[in-house]
Amino acid sequence: MLGVSFPSYPFIRLELLAWVGLVPLLLSLKQDDSFGSAYRKIWLSMFVFSVLSLWWVSLATLPGGILTVIAESFFLTVPFLPFYLAMRSAGFRYALLSLPFFWTAWEWAYMGQDLSLGWLTFGNSQANLAGMIQYADITGVWGVSFWLVLFNVLVVIYWMEKDVAAVRRRVLAAAVVLIALPYFYGRLVFGERVSPGDLSGSVRVTLVQPNIDPFRKWELHTGSDMMGIFYRITGRAVFREVPDLVIWPETAIPFFILDTRYSGYFQSLYMAVREWRVALLSGFSDIEYYHPASERAKSGRVKFDSTTGRHFETFNASLMMNADGRKPQVYHKNRLVPFAERVPYVDYFPWLDRFTFSLAGISSWGRGTDTPVMKFNTRRNGTVETANIICYESIFPGLVTGFVRNGAEFLTLVTNDGWYATSYGPYQHVAIAKLRCIENRRAMARCANTGITAFIDRYGRVYDDMPWWKEGTLTADVPLYRDMTLYTRFPDLLPKTSVAVSVLLLVVAFSGIVRR
């Protein structure tokens, strides 16, 4: 039930199964099993959950897909460890009521680790249920996870108390309130009127979807070929749509165009942007060189080119170019896919780099450290500030709120979901992006190499998109906002509270104050 409740193809809507997906497992744990027996039961459940939700990762890299499923299944068992301890010390019902805090605290703590995939955050299962998750602008996805676990707990208690009518009535009333509050809050939000001070106009954005097979990119095209494809598609769209901003997808420019070796390509791109009279945001590969005496070079964390004698680091990055000739603005991806883009903790143990699972030769990226906003000029609204999220980064709530707090008026996301063929992986990816829009009340322009290029409003609803496996462009007006939600201002409030409450609950359980 947990596995199929996560977003998949648009015609499959089973997210309500997550409301009861934990019930069978929790009821089975009521038995007085040994820790080993209970853990095997928990791990097997989480393994099935991970396989059903993440099998598509193996389409890009089979070893990486297998490792992802195995690792996630173990990480998902962690909230059940304090649950089991609390159950042994203070009883099953005490452990049940503690579980929402344990679960939320662990999801947040896990998300901050290098080894975190974070894709299976429980609240992500509800990403397409826009009418019920608008309260994420207060709690973030953490509140949705907390709500789901709590609802599962109420169902378990209702099931257990078959012979106690008074308890069942109270549990049923609590469940009704738990459903009614998000529902009516959603109705209230959808009916709101945005104040003129919060809405600061709109920008016209064109998204370019080149539909290039990422596995065969270099077999079929040279660097000149790929730039030619983008010039051709963009030139037609700019003439027809007259946008303020054009966006190309992740690694659309798959070479170091800002390096002096590629100055000819850069001049060609700059002349094109001047001719189009628009700003261009594009994914690209960046490189930085370090002096041999620098701390970075001495750290052993960067690569060394023996032919030139230079230390260097490469980055999955994005650049913003304006038609006025200003220096390109560059962002280096902060959160990298474990093992596929960067091996966790390689900063501390450089020898781990050998365990990278390369995707079409792409691996071992350097990691960015800041969340800068990018500025560009528009015809109607002067200078506009935006945030660029690169692919996998969209699953990290705290990273996106950092961009918004820095001034981003709307969000952009560049990605390449072509690695996952026609699986439902890309649909999961776009669904998770909807949560980032709700949390921060920002619209998003999402540009993919193929599947799924789309525009998402501040309520997490797609208002325009284009099909997979199609070369073309998509243009729409994107509203700009300046207001900040409670979650944007205090993104860690609920999870940090859950950590504190979890510690308190375990202390109380071990103290003997509550009897089994």
Side-chain angles (χ1 to χ4, degrees):
M1 287 192 286
L2 293 179
V4 299
S5 71
F6 264 64
S8 58
Y9 298 109
F11 55 87
I12 300 175
R13 297 296 301 273
L14 299 173
E15 51 264 59
L16 294 186
L17 288 179
W19 297 20
V20 294
L22 288 171
V23 172
L25 176 60
L26 292 174
L27 285 172
S28 73
L29 293 175
K30 188 174 183 293
Q31 303 171 22
D32 195 16
D33 293 334
S34 66
F35 175 76
S37 176
Y39 187 80
R40 286 190 293 273
K41 196 182 299 182
I42 294 165
W43 179 81
L44 182 59
S45 299
M46 296 302 106
F47 178 74
V48 173
F49 172 24
S50 299
V51 169
L52 290 173
S53 302
L54 297 174
W55 63 269
W56 48 268
V57 176
S58 62
L59 296 176
T61 163
L62 182 58
I66 294 171
L67 179 62
T68 295
V69 168
I70 293 173
E72 277 297 287
S73 61
F74 278 108
F75 286 124
L76 286 167
T77 66
V78 173
F80 292 97
L81 302 182
F83 171 86
Y84 182 83
L85 294 174
M87 180 178 68
R88 300 293 290 182
S89 299
F92 183 66
R93 181 168 296 187
Y94 183 90
L96 277 178
L97 296 174
S98 302
L99 186 58
F101 297 98
F102 296 155
W103 194 288
T104 306
W106 168 246
E107 281 193 338
W108 173 77
Y110 172 52
M111 190 71 83
Q113 306 304 310
D114 264 11
L115 199 56
S116 167
L117 180 67
W119 200 274
L120 297 186
T121 298
F122 202 8
N124 289 346
S125 66
Q126 307 299 291
N128 286 325
L129 202 62
M132 287 293 291
I133 60 170
Q134 293 302 312
Y135 64 94
D137 66 352
I138 300 172
T139 67
V141 68
W142 317 119
V144 184
S145 291
F146 188 96
W147 187 98
L148 285 169
V149 180
L150 180 57
F151 196 89
N152 275 270
V153 165
L154 290 179
V155 174
V156 171
I157 295 174
Y158 186 85
W159 182 276
M160 288 166 45
E161 301 294 344
K162 293 180 179 179
D163 301 323
V164 187
V167 173
R168 296 193 97 186
R169 284 195 298 270
R170 288 195 293 271
V171 171
L172 187 60
V176 170
V177 170
L178 207 58
I179 295 172
L181 287 177
Y183 174 76
F184 286 110
Y185 183 77
R187 293 286 298 271
L188 180 67
V189 167
F190 286 138
E192 72 177 352
R193 298 182 64 181
V194 180
S195 67
D198 293 334
L199 178 61
S200 51
S202 64
V203 292
R204 191 159 182 80
V205 179
T206 291
L207 308 177
V208 176
Q209 180 171 287
N211 192 32
I212 298 172
D213 185 342
F215 290 103
R216 303 184 64 196
K217 178 184 288 189
W218 289 109
E219 294 176 23
L220 301 177
H221 306 287
T222 64
S224 296
D225 291 338
M226 283 182 277
M227 296 300 288
I229 291 171
F230 281 104
Y231 290 155
R232 172 175 53 81
I233 301 172
T234 305
R236 288 201 306 257
V238 167
F239 177 77
R240 185 175 63 248
E241 304 291 350
V242 195
D244 298 301
L245 175 67
V246 171
I247 304 180
W248 294 354
E250 181 184 19
T251 59
I253 307 172
F255 51 85
F256 311 125
I257 195 168
L258 297 185
D259 189 34
T260 54
R261 291 175 293 170
Y262 298 93
S263 59
Y265 283 101
F266 178 77
Q267 288 301 319
S268 172
L269 181 60
Y270 171 62
M271 295 302 294
V273 170
R274 284 195 63 180
E275 181 182 345
W276 297 331
R277 297 182 181 179
V278 298
L280 171 68
L281 172 63
S282 176
F284 82 115
S285 301
D286 197 19
I287 188 168
E288 285 191 0
Y289 296 100
Y290 304 103
H291 191 278
S294 68
E295 290 187 12
R296 193 68 182 169
K298 291 179 179 179
S299 69
R301 302 171 191 168
V302 299
K303 301 169 187 175
F304 179 71
D305 185 350
S306 58
T307 59
T308 63
R310 292 194 292 183
H311 294 81
F312 69 96
E313 196 168 16
T314 57
F315 298 89
N316 189 348
S318 59
L319 63 82
M320 173 76 77
M321 293 185 66
N322 281 278
D324 58 11
R326 281 181 289 169
K327 182 180 178 180
Q329 303 160 68
V330 175
Y331 167 68
H332 291 160
K333 188 175 182 181
N334 278 218
R335 299 305 300 252
L336 300 161
V337 181
F339 296 99
E341 291 185 315
R342 183 181 178 86
V343 177
Y345 308 112
V346 71
D347 281 348
Y348 307 102
F349 308 103
W351 54 270
L352 288 173
D353 192 53
R354 71 189 67 174
F355 296 107
T356 301
F357 295 114
S358 173
L359 291 178
I362 300 172
S363 64
S364 300
W365 295 112
R367 181 171 56 192
T369 56
D370 55 1
T371 52
V373 294
M374 293 179 168
K375 300 179 181 181
F376 64 98
N377 299 323
T378 66
R379 297 174 179 85
R380 293 172 294 174
N381 294 291
T383 300
V384 170
E385 296 180 310
T386 187
N388 184 233
I389 305 157
I390 301 178
C391 192
Y392 164 75
E393 291 185 316
S394 63
I395 72 169
F396 294 93
L399 178 68
V400 178
T401 61
F403 284 116
V404 177
R405 286 197 302 274
N406 285 340
E409 297 171 271
F410 75 104
L411 305 173
T412 67
L413 188 152
V414 295
T415 187
N416 183 4
D417 291 336
W419 302 109
Y420 308 109
T422 55
S423 71
Y424 49 71
Y427 286 110
Q428 282 187 2
H429 197 189
V430 75
I432 293 171
K434 296 175 183 179
L435 276 162
R436 305 293 85 84
C437 295
I438 296 170
E439 288 168 342
N440 300 282
R441 294 298 176 209
R442 291 293 187 273
M444 177 185 287
R446 184 184 197 274
C447 184
N449 171 55
T450 186
I452 301 164
T453 294
F455 290 97
I456 307 171
D457 70 12
R458 67 191 250 131
Y459 306 105
R461 301 173 300 192
V462 173
Y463 62 94
D464 204 357
D465 62 0
M466 67 183 298
W468 288 10
W469 316 118
K470 176 184 176 182
E471 177 190 293
T473 62
L474 185 69
T475 302
D477 290 327
V478 179
L480 308 173
Y481 300 97
R482 295 195 182 99
D483 59 324
M484 289 195 187
T485 65
L486 180 65
Y487 177 73
T488 302
R489 285 177 285 158
F490 307 103
D492 298 332
L493 183 60
L494 177 60
K496 285 185 175 179
T497 301
S498 295
V499 171
V501 173
S502 296
V503 172
L504 180 61
L505 289 168
L506 287 173
V507 169
V508 171
F510 294 141
S511 68
I513 296 174
V514 179
R515 296 182 180 180
R516 294 190 63 183

